[in-house]
């Protein structure tokens, strides 16, 4: 019998329960996965609270992990028993064993260990589509990155530097400022104590940034818009401080004919070709050492509730890995 972290109702971290669950047998196109490392993502918090609905309850949460194929169902040809694999955006990851569609899995090269894979798949593919598709960064662009010492932020800043950007990172403490610098940020703003837009105008000699990659949401909406150059882009890709409910579209004209996007990784990995392209690019960056994956903290999978509390309290840095 396997254990999973499930919710029977949406709510606070106490809603997460460690329970015995039979994973079942793989059907056509599916595999049974023995999971060795599970990624913790802010999306898991939105799903736990009900901001992102997860369908019928009880439900095992978590959307990202790495592990070993323990058994394959009929008509599975892409992976075999014993293969080391990882995935993102597949609900049910907080488990020792799980069933998953084989088409969601990416084979891991020997240079990438299981914990690194669980720490990077979702956050790394997100950084990749943000930088290459949502607003394709060009050499010389000055960009603004919220939560620059967090999971997505750490990868995004390093990758943006490789693309030739000047990076302004925003963080919530002086310890995180050191991490943001190590991620390659040219300038760091402590947004608990400093005025973001004012500092951005100083740094850019009044011009503003080409893009703000904003995962904080409601609390930084205005600062992001006020930091953009004329025709700049706000890529609002998360809601760590709460969902945006008050964007008046007319403001975009007043502040310089601005663009706003609200993208999701699901769109950018919606078929096998897109998933393989995105994951392949990320794996190459990590394998070659160009992008480092910083695992800031580990928890036992059964202690996932505490990991959620720490993530929500802004106590985590880099990626967080849960060990089954
Ligand atoms: N749209 C997509 O495709 C997509 C995919 C993946 C992730 N995301 C989003 O990307 C963001 C980052 O995800 P992650 O898993 O890597 O998390 P994370 O960045 O490691 O953690 C969230 C960080 O947000 C900052 N924050 C600012 N205000 C906050 C508040 N009121 N409450 C909590 N945190 C606050 C904190 O950093 P400071 O203390 O430095 O402010 C905190 O550490 C999340 O918003 C997530 O939803 C979006």
């Amino acid at each position: 019998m396997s254990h999973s972290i499930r919710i029977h109702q949406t709510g606070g971290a106490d809603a997460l329960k460690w329970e015995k669950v039979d994973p079942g047998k793989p059907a056509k196109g599916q595999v049974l996965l023995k999971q060795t490392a599970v990624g913790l993502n802010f999306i898991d918090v939105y799903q736990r609270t009900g901001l992102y609905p997860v369908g019928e309850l009880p439900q095992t949460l978590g959307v990202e992990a790495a592990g070993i194929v323990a058994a394959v169902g009929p008509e599975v040809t892409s992976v075999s028993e014993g293969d080391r694999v990882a995935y993102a955006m597949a609900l049910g990851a907080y488990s020792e064993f799980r069933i998953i569609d084989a088409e969601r899995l990416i084979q891991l090269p020997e240079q990438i260990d299981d914990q690194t894979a669980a720490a990077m798949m979702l956050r790394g593919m997100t950084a990749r589509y943000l930088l290459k598709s949502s607003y394709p960064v060009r050499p010389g662009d000055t960009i603004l990155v919220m939560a620059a010492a967090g999971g997505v932020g750490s990868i995004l800043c390093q990758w943006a530097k490789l693309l030739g950007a000047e990076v302004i990172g925003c963080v919530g403490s002086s310890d995180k400022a050191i991490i943001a610098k190590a991620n390659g940020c040219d300038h760091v703003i402590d947004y608990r104590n400093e005025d973001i837009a004012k500092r951005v105008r100083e740094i850019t000699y009044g011009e503003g940034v080409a893009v703000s990659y904003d995962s904080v949401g409601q609390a930084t909406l205005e600062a992001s818009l006020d930091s953009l150059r004329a025709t700049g882009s706000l890529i609002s890709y998360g809601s760590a401080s709460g969902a945006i409910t008050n964007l008046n579209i007319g403001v975009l004209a007043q502040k310089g004919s601005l663009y706003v996007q609200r993208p999701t990784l699901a769109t950018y990995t919606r078929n096998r070709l897109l998933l393989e392209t995105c994951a392949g690019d990320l794996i190459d960056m990590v394998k070659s050492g160009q992008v480092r994956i910083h695992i800031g903290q580990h928890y036992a999978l059964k202690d996932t509730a505490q990991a959620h509390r720490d993530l929500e309290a802004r106590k985590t840095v880099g990626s967080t890995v849960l060990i089954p």
Side-chain angles (χ1 to χ4, degrees), residues 40-43 46 52 89 122-123 126 129 147-153 170-173 176 191-192 215-216 219 236-242 262-266 311-318:
L40 175 75
N41 287 280
F42 218 94
I43 293 163
Y46 306 143
Y52 292 0
M89 301 299 270
L122 198 146
R123 281 149 286 208
T126 299
Y129 87 73
V152 177
C170 291
V171 294
S173 73
K176 290 183 180 182
Y191 48 15
R192 292 215 201 194
S215 62
V216 173
S236 175
Y237 72 97
S239 318
S241 69
R262 179 58 176 92
T264 169
L265 178 62
L311 182 61
E312 289 178 277
R314 304 168 75 165
K315 288 183 181 164
T316 65
V317 293

Side-chain angles (χ1 to χ4, degrees), residues 25-261:
K25 289 195 166 52
K28 193 170 105 180
Q30 295 182 325
V31 311
L32 174 68
L33 203 58
K34 178 183 180 347
Q35 305 206 120
T36 51
V38 177
L40 175 75
N41 287 280
F42 218 94
I43 293 163
D44 309 350
V45 172
Y46 306 143
Q47 293 186 327
R48 191 203 73 216
T49 59
L51 182 65
Y52 292 0
V54 292
E56 231 172 84
L57 301 179
Q59 174 65 51
T60 302
L61 295 190
V63 291
E64 175 187 42
I68 295 160
V69 175
V72 298
E75 297 179 29
V76 171
T77 52
S78 54
V79 291
S80 314
E81 210 177 306
D83 283 356
R84 229 163 45 82
V85 294
Y87 64 87
M89 301 299 270
L91 193 60
Y94 289 171
S95 287
E96 292 171 325
F97 285 84
R98 75 165 296 173
I99 299 290
I100 187 166
D101 288 345
E103 67 169 18
R104 298 301 311 169
L105 300 175
I106 297 292
Q107 299 264 8
L108 289 174
E110 62 182 24
Q111 298 92 333
I112 296 183
D113 62 54
D114 294 9
Q115 290 192 19
T116 302
M120 75 179 212
M121 288 297 290
L122 198 146
R123 281 149 286 208
M125 289 199 291
T126 299
R128 193 251 183 212
Y129 87 73
L130 291 172
L131 291 166
K132 295 201 168 183
S133 301
S134 296
Y135 172 87
V137 166
R138 285 177 297 245
D141 278 344
T142 304
I143 72 168
L144 183 62
V145 180
M146 303 300 174
V152 177
S154 290
I155 300 172
L156 198 148
C157 290
Q158 293 177 62
W159 206 327
K161 286 305 297 173
L162 294 166
L163 294 171
E166 181 171 5
V167 181
I168 307 173
C170 291
V171 294
S173 73
S174 51
D175 288 349
K176 290 183 180 182
I178 295 167
I179 293 169
K181 279 271 181 194
N183 290 334
C185 290
D186 300 281
H187 314 271
V188 180
I189 299 173
D190 178 345
Y191 48 15
R192 292 215 201 194
N193 295 309
E194 295 179 278
D195 181 326
I196 299 173
K198 185 164 166 273
R199 286 276 288 120
V200 166
R201 294 288 162 191
E202 282 165 11
I203 292 165
T204 60
Y205 303 100
E207 170 86 2
V209 292
V211 57
S212 174
Y213 293 108
D214 190 337
S215 62
V216 173
Q218 183 64 55
T220 49
L221 169 65
E222 205 177 326
S224 272
L225 294 174
D226 286 341
S227 297
L228 296 176
R229 73 178 183 205
T231 72
S233 293
L234 164 58
I235 313 294
S236 175
Y237 72 97
S239 318
S241 69
I244 292 170
T245 53
N246 60 341
L247 178 61
N248 167 9
I249 200 167
V251 159
L252 305 181
Q254 291 159 20
K255 292 185 189 280
S257 304
L258 306 178
Y259 295 81
V260 176
Q261 282 179 58

Side-chain angles (χ1 to χ4, degrees), residues 259-320:
Y259 295 81
V260 176
Q261 282 179 58
R262 179 58 176 92
T264 169
L265 178 62
T267 310
Y268 290 94
T269 54
R270 66 188 179 279
N271 60 41
R272 186 70 199 173
L273 180 61
L274 287 169
L275 174 64
E276 280 181 2
T277 305
C278 201
D281 204 4
L282 170 66
I283 285 172
D284 286 348
M285 296 304 281
V286 175
K287 218 167 65 170
S288 64
Q290 291 176 276
V291 169
R292 291 171 298 102
I293 303 302
H294 174 202
I295 300 175
Q297 48 283 310
H298 298 85
Y299 299 81
L301 180 61
K302 66 175 170 39
D303 297 331
T304 298
Q306 188 56 45
H308 273 230
R309 286 186 200 102
D310 291 348
L311 182 61
E312 289 178 277
R314 304 168 75 165
K315 288 183 181 164
T316 65
V317 293
S319 293
T320 302

